[in-house]
Amino acid sequence: MKQTLTVTNEKHFGIARKIVSNMTSESWETIPHAVMTHTPEVSRLLDVLAEINENADRQTKISINTAMLRVIVEALKACPKMNSHIEFNRRLVRGCVREFEEINISMPMILKSGEMMTVNMHDMQNKSMSEMRDAIADTARRANNSDMNEVMFEVSLDNTLNGLKQGKILQTVNRLIGSKTGKHRVKTLSGKAKKEYYSIPESERLTKHDIEQGTITISNIGSVCRGWNGDCTLLEIIPPQTCVIGIGALQKAVIVDENDEIRIGKRLPLTIAFDHRALDAGDIAPFIDKLNEIFESPNILKEWV
């Protein structure tokens, strides 16, 4: 006899979940993922970071997350192929990969509400660690002042209109039905509430510019799972990006140095997933080489403050 299950909770997708579900589904349906992991020893880098933060207060401290973003940005400069978007037509077997000078990092961020939001940290290629820290803090501040349904609806509407311009009429109709009808209807502000919200200066809230597609995604998974003692084995690439990088949690490790001496150090697992249509494993080598160079001579961080 078929068992009748007791439903304890039922929650229809809001716009954030709709967007995430749509983008990740497209990722796995269209992108041939390839993955490399790298687990560098970062004890010396942490020592240098401690020196930098010796007299810093909570507002001026450079976090490990910020330092790693700066390190990764430097490695991306040495490997511009990873900072790219792909355009591919499978039916005609035609493709194009566009590399960018600007490094706009799509970065997942947890809001005070507990919601996860991916924000676009623009123009990180020329920022110092202090500027990165301040940009991230300002984005978090504005995010907590924002109605995320409104921001995401703006982005969703933009994507729908772009699809319409590309002749994706059926997709546009289906999206409108899915977002505007029945119990799956997306609820956004209206009337006085909408007018009051949009009277808030854009310097005090997020706009679609803040969550539009970046050139690459960097996700600090270790900051969410601090007690995690493992490696991330797979990440989804969000099209049209060609790469995503996952930063794991710091882990104690037994280190054998060049003199065969044993000590306890710290390792930081990194995961690099790339679109195999755009990149091969060898294309990632300059990125890894630059990372190793920085971790071996981490005093360079003092020049990036």
Side-chain angles (χ1 to χ4, degrees):
M1 187 173 70
K2 185 177 179 180
Q3 181 184 10
T4 301
L5 301 178
T6 304
V7 177
T8 58
N9 186 38
E10 181 176 283
K11 185 177 181 181
H12 296 292
F13 283 5
I15 190 166
R17 202 75 251 158
K18 284 174 180 277
I19 291 175
V20 170
S21 299
N22 183 62
M23 295 301 289
T24 53
S25 295
E26 184 181 348
S27 172
W28 294 115
E29 288 168 1
T30 62
I31 298 176
H33 287 61
V35 180
M36 296 174 66
T37 59
H38 184 50
T39 312
E41 208 271 314
V42 296
S43 300
R44 281 184 282 180
L45 181 138
L46 294 176
D47 289 341
V48 172
L49 190 57
E51 289 179 37
I52 291 171
N53 287 324
E54 187 174 4
N55 298 313
D57 57 26
R58 187 174 180 180
Q59 281 70 41
T60 59
K61 181 180 179 182
I62 303 297
S63 68
I64 296 173
N65 180 57
T66 301
M68 283 304 302
L69 283 179
R70 184 64 183 81
V71 169
I72 289 171
V73 163
E74 201 65 23
L76 288 173
K77 291 179 185 177
C79 190
K81 288 183 178 181
M82 293 173 62
N83 187 51
S84 61
H85 285 180
I86 185 173
E87 184 179 298
F88 180 70
N89 184 314
R90 188 174 184 184
R91 183 171 61 85
L92 298 176
V93 199
R94 292 176 178 173
C96 175
V97 176
R98 297 182 178 90
E99 300 173 15
F100 302 103
E101 178 180 349
E102 296 81 12
I103 299 177
N104 296 337
I105 298 175
S106 292
M107 187 179 79
M109 176 182 289
I110 298 178
L111 309 180
K112 284 183 179 178
S113 64
E115 293 178 282
M116 178 77 78
M117 169 63 60
T118 298
V119 296
N120 187 333
M121 303 306 303
H122 290 269
D123 297 317
M124 300 296 267
Q125 71 280 358
N126 295 320
K127 284 184 169 62
S128 66
M129 290 193 294
S130 296
E131 290 169 332
M132 287 183 171
R133 174 201 63 207
D134 294 345
I136 293 169
D138 182 67
T139 299
R141 176 188 66 82
R142 291 185 292 118
N144 288 314
N145 290 337
S146 301
D147 185 306
M148 300 316 299
N149 278 352
E150 287 295 318
V151 182
M152 300 195 81
F153 185 74
E154 288 182 39
V155 174
S156 179
L157 183 60
D158 249 18
N159 289 340
T160 300
L161 292 175
N162 285 333
L164 190 59
K165 290 176 184 177
Q166 295 167 13
K168 299 177 181 178
I169 298 173
L170 183 59
Q171 179 192 80
T172 301
V173 171
N174 287 336
R175 286 188 175 185
L176 288 172
I177 293 172
S179 64
K180 290 295 184 181
T181 61
K183 55 190 175 183
H184 297 278
R185 181 176 178 270
V186 173
K187 296 179 181 179
T188 54
L189 298 175
S190 61
K192 183 180 177 182
K194 185 170 185 175
K195 185 176 180 180
E196 287 178 351
Y197 177 72
Y198 283 98
S199 70
I200 300 172
E202 290 189 356
S203 59
E204 299 301 312
R205 59 179 172 85
L206 296 186
T207 68
K208 61 184 179 182
H209 176 71
D210 294 297
I211 61 171
E212 66 189 2
Q213 186 70 268
T215 57
I216 188 170
T217 295
I218 301 176
S219 181
N220 189 348
I221 309 165
S223 66
V224 179
C225 308
R226 294 182 184 275
W228 176 30
N229 189 28
D231 297 337
C232 175
T233 55
L234 194 56
L235 291 163
E236 65 268 6
I237 302 158
I238 302 303
Q241 295 176 5
T242 62
C243 285
V244 56
I245 299 169
I247 303 172
L250 280 169
Q251 300 174 11
K252 288 184 179 180
V254 177
I255 308 298
V256 181
D257 65 20
E258 59 272 14
N259 298 317
D260 290 334
E261 293 182 358
I262 298 174
R263 60 182 174 83
I264 300 298
K266 291 285 185 70
R267 292 196 181 277
L268 184 63
L270 300 174
T271 304
I272 306 152
F274 57 94
D275 188 329
H276 219 326
R277 298 172 301 178
L279 297 162
D280 297 315
D283 294 318
I284 311 297
F287 178 81
I288 301 295
D289 291 342
K290 190 63 178 180
L291 288 180
N292 289 338
E293 179 186 321
I294 295 169
F295 292 134
E296 288 169 9
S297 303
N299 278 321
I300 189 70
L301 263 66
K302 296 177 181 178
E303 299 178 18
W304 296 341
V305 177

